[in-house]
Amino acid sequence: MLHSNLSVNEMGHLTLCGADTVTLAEKYGTPLYLLDEDRIREKCRTYHRAMKTYFTPDSRPLYASKALSFRGIYRLAKEEGMAVDVVSPGELYNALSAGMDAADICFHGNAKTVADIRYAMDNGIGLFAADNAVELERISAYAVEKGVTQRVLLRITPGIDPHTFDAVNTGKVDSKFGSAIATGQAEEIFCYARSLANIEVAGFHCHIGSQIFDEKPFCDAADLMLTFMVSLRDKYGYTAEILNLGGGIGVRYTEADPYIDIDDTLRLVGAHMHAICEETGYPMPQILMEPGRSLVADAGVTLYEVQNVKTITGYKSYAAIDGGMTDNPRYALYQSRYTVVNASRASDDADFTCTVAGRCCESGDLIGENLTVARPEVGEYLAVLVTGAYNYAMSSNYNCITKPPIVMIADGKDKLAVRRETFADMTACQM
Ligand code: LLP
């Protein structure tokens, strides 16, 4: 199957890390998000090991929690010694409420409000990835008021196009994020940050995009960033302690997607950086990386119950499910391709071509088109594979549809990590 944690048991049911998905659908109801916890831990360890080995002993991964944010995943991240990246005070609250240490958190975002900054600093945030001059002024002003020094990374756009699709392409010169090296604005913001009271520039950050399948764009970004850092050293005598290379390693959603090995990629990027540092005499900085998708995506499977199958004579067939764009908006937003399996009959031939349609009153509410599955019967379960990243995190209550629960599977045991949202939860803020 697509990933090694997926298989089919003797009943012909799809299994995730050995657990029978049909049994779990019956136990918890559908729609249902499943997560293979062991898989996530294994990925955290791979990143840790590779970063320490190929970069520097103090290099470490930060979990980009925008990919999937709930208390249980922050607890897991903490247990695995991960630092965390958050992009909003809500994610920060979530991480702190799970017991994460604020010193291990980096706060991102291109439009942080005064309230966001105060909230983060009141909780002792370790790092800001500072995007712009206004933000730096706000941080500086509050640091002066509190009598503290705040460490920041400056977000830089190296100007790399990693050939990924536009909506998740963040490292190009005209990006809404950060300051570009090419326009001279990266140098300007560096000088400005250094002129501000109570700000310590610990280093730099870049993130070139998401769903990237080869090491070249990461090497190119590292190259541009190090060259920029060397120029600042030569001009201003400043040596950066940290270089954060962001996230972006890709994940296979379908058999057509390539495979990228995390360890191999980091080995090649590390070798490339060591060579540049040696050549320029720049001390290899502590490297941070922010994987999101590559840590959690292939740990996830979403289960739905088939409500009806409709064939429009001479045109196409639809399999309608009890969820859709409210729990997985990625096809509606990006036309992202998924692999769908009839979990109830996973060993049968996938010989039925259909569009899997969600339950929202909106024709664009689809999980995918031209998908091939074993012809589903009403009441059978469809599994959408590789849904651990940017699914629950991007879910909504459109059409007043409540959010599914998350069940984590570890050591062959399933446990509820997020309970199913009730109508009362959904309407709790309404006066
Ligand atoms: N760091 C920064 C600053 C980021 O902006 C992102 C993702 C990451 C790390 C993590 O990247 P990853 O390792 O997950 O590729 N909603 C879109 C993905 C948006 C990614 C935005 N930034 C999707 O569903 O494909």
Side-chain angles (χ1 to χ4, degrees), residues 255-334:
E255 299 283 352
D257 288 331
Y259 170 74
I260 175 166
D261 186 77
I262 295 168
D263 184 83
D264 240 22
T265 307
L266 301 192
R267 182 173 54 78
L268 294 166
V269 175
H272 188 73
M273 292 178 73
H274 278 294
I276 299 173
C277 287
E278 202 154 302
E279 202 177 295
T280 55
Y282 201 89
M284 179 77 170
Q286 176 191 16
I287 303 299
L288 304 180
M289 286 189 86
E290 299 164 340
R293 192 190 310 271
S294 58
L295 283 182
V296 294
D298 65 14
V301 165
T302 308
L303 297 171
Y304 303 99
E305 188 187 62
V306 176
Q307 302 307 310
N308 59 74
V309 180
K310 187 190 279 180
T311 296
I312 303 169
T313 314
Y315 291 87
K316 65 204 274 196
S317 296
Y318 286 96
I321 53 171
D322 54 356
M325 67 187 289
T326 50
D327 54 78
N328 181 357
R330 296 189 70 256
Y331 188 78
L333 272 175
Y334 319 120

Side-chain angles (χ1 to χ4, degrees), residues 9-137:
N9 65 16
E10 60 292 344
M11 278 141 69
H13 297 168
L14 175 75
T15 61
L16 175 66
C17 53
D20 185 319
T21 58
V22 172
T23 306
L24 292 173
E26 276 158 7
K27 178 170 173 185
Y28 294 100
T30 53
L32 172 64
Y33 295 113
L34 296 179
L35 265 191
D36 171 357
E37 182 176 327
D38 301 331
R39 182 91 170 178
I40 302 173
R41 290 186 189 275
E42 179 192 312
K43 296 286 191 68
C44 292
R45 291 171 197 173
T46 301
Y47 267 101
H48 265 299
R49 225 179 9 244
M51 293 186 67
K52 284 184 197 325
T53 312
Y54 305 129
F55 299 144
T56 60
D58 62 348
S59 292
R60 67 189 298 209
L62 285 74
Y63 168 51
S65 63
K66 75 206 74 182
L68 177 60
S69 176
F70 65 94
R71 262 184 221 139
I73 200 96
Y74 290 110
R75 279 189 214 115
L76 184 159
K78 187 174 179 197
E79 282 165 20
E80 291 299 328
M82 303 285 290
V84 162
D85 125 15
V86 300
V87 292
S88 71
E91 281 186 0
L92 177 55
Y93 171 85
N94 218 354
L96 294 174
S97 72
M100 282 292 309
D101 185 349
D104 281 336
I105 302 181
C106 179
F107 193 150
H108 279 275
N110 66 309
K112 298 180 191 80
T113 67
V114 170
D116 295 348
I117 288 166
R118 287 177 171 244
Y119 176 64
M121 289 175 65
D122 287 343
N123 280 287
I125 194 88
L127 280 172
F128 282 103
D131 179 87
N132 57 75
V134 174
E135 178 186 334
L136 284 164
E137 282 158 23

Side-chain angles (χ1 to χ4, degrees), residues 47 62-67 85 87 108-109 129 155 165 167-170 177 205-212 218 244-250 253 289-296 328-330 333-334 336 338 389-391 394:
Y47 267 101
L62 285 74
Y63 168 51
S65 63
K66 75 206 74 182
D85 125 15
V87 292
H108 279 275
R155 179 147 183 178
F165 54 101
V168 292
N169 196 339
T170 44
F177 297 102
H205 170 278
C206 68
H207 169 78
I208 53 171
S210 197
Q211 196 54 347
I212 300 168
F218 294 108
N244 183 332
L245 292 174
I249 291 186
Y253 285 89
M289 286 189 86
E290 299 164 340
R293 192 190 310 271
S294 58
L295 283 182
V296 294
N328 181 357
R330 296 189 70 256
L333 272 175
Y334 319 120
S336 299
Y338 280 96
Y390 304 112
N391 276 228
M394 294 173 75

Side-chain angles (χ1 to χ4, degrees), residues 184-250:
Q185 284 162 305
E187 182 175 338
E188 268 169 41
I189 201 144
F190 164 76
C191 294
Y192 186 59
R194 296 245 294 164
S195 76
L196 291 171
N198 300 39
I199 295 262
E200 180 190 338
V201 179
F204 301 97
H205 170 278
C206 68
H207 169 78
I208 53 171
S210 197
Q211 196 54 347
I212 300 168
F213 287 102
D214 84 73
E215 78 285 353
K216 174 125 189 349
F218 294 108
C219 288
D220 291 350
D223 221 319
L224 288 163
M225 292 299 290
L226 285 170
T227 305
F228 171 66
M229 285 153 65
V230 167
S231 76
L232 297 182
R233 178 197 61 185
D234 295 348
K235 203 159 162 188
Y236 305 102
Y238 168 86
T239 304
E241 183 192 322
I242 299 175
L243 172 58
N244 183 332
L245 292 174
I249 291 186

